[in-house]
Amino acid sequence: MPSEFQAIYNAQLKQVDGQVMMTLKKEQDNLYSYEIITRPSGFWRVIIDGSIWEKSTFSLKNGVIQSKTYQLTDTIRSKPRQSSATFDWDNLQLSGHYKDRKFELSLNNYLIDRVALQMAIILNNQQGKNSSEYYILDRDKVLKIHVRKKEIVNIRVPFGQFEAIEIEHAGEQSESTNSLWLAPELGYIPVKIAQKKDGKTVFTANLSQLTH
């Protein structure tokens, strides 16, 4: 696993300026937490109140991430939403709720939560693996994710200039494509994140601060 870190990004969602903060912590022996908070910044904090908070806890089993819990609280939308999930690997059951809907699903060895997906991609690149498919819990359904490693590029962000590997991933039959630029120099922590929808960039985040 990467060492504990906190990364802060300058973000833009369409015309809105924001900030993304990602924090990896080792909670105990083989249990980690990964938290992502997205909120408006600057002038937009006056107009848009709230944040999107997501947190995953997971362990490592034979070098593979195994999700334990997932939580979401989104207070930016006009109708706030919450979601949570518990991964019971002893009984191979996944249970939780999305908005006001409860769900129960069967577990398999390849199913992780959507926040842990980013850490799984980081870990596989650290280990020199080239996994092209993942299954994640998205809302209350299982979604198949296709991952593609692209070229190494030089990229400048507020935190500095880095050689970074572009990793692209998208859900099956999804109109959105997500990209991560991982910097080996920083332990494969992303220096840039972006999302495209119907071929147009709708979200970007560039690394501005990093602490270990």
Side-chain angles (χ1 to χ4, degrees), residues 185-202:
E185 183 181 340
L186 301 178
Y188 294 87
I189 291 169
V191 292
K192 182 178 178 179
I193 304 164
Q195 184 181 69
K196 288 184 177 180
K197 190 170 184 178
D198 296 327
K200 295 181 179 179
T201 300
V202 295

Side-chain angles (χ1 to χ4, degrees), residues 121-132:
I121 291 172
I122 291 172
L123 185 61
N124 279 334
N125 277 272
Q126 282 185 328
Q127 296 173 343
K129 297 178 181 177
N130 192 21
S131 299
S132 59

Side-chain angles (χ1 to χ4, degrees), residues 49-83:
D49 190 21
S51 64
I52 301 171
W53 174 81
E54 291 182 279
K55 184 177 181 179
S56 166
T57 63
F58 58 86
S59 62
L60 285 181
K61 186 175 181 180
N62 300 322
V64 177
I65 283 178
Q66 192 174 73
S67 291
K68 298 293 187 183
T69 63
Y70 168 79
Q71 295 170 276
L72 161 72
T73 300
D74 181 349
T75 56
I76 283 183
R77 297 167 182 257
S78 55
K79 291 184 178 179
R81 58 175 176 153
Q82 290 188 317
S83 178

Side-chain angles (χ1 to χ4, degrees), residues 66-69 85-95 105-107:
Q66 192 174 73
S67 291
K68 298 293 187 183
T69 63
T86 300
F87 294 71
D88 181 354
W89 291 99
D90 292 331
N91 297 302
L92 297 180
Q93 288 291 315
L94 170 58
S95 60
L105 301 166
S106 296
L107 272 178

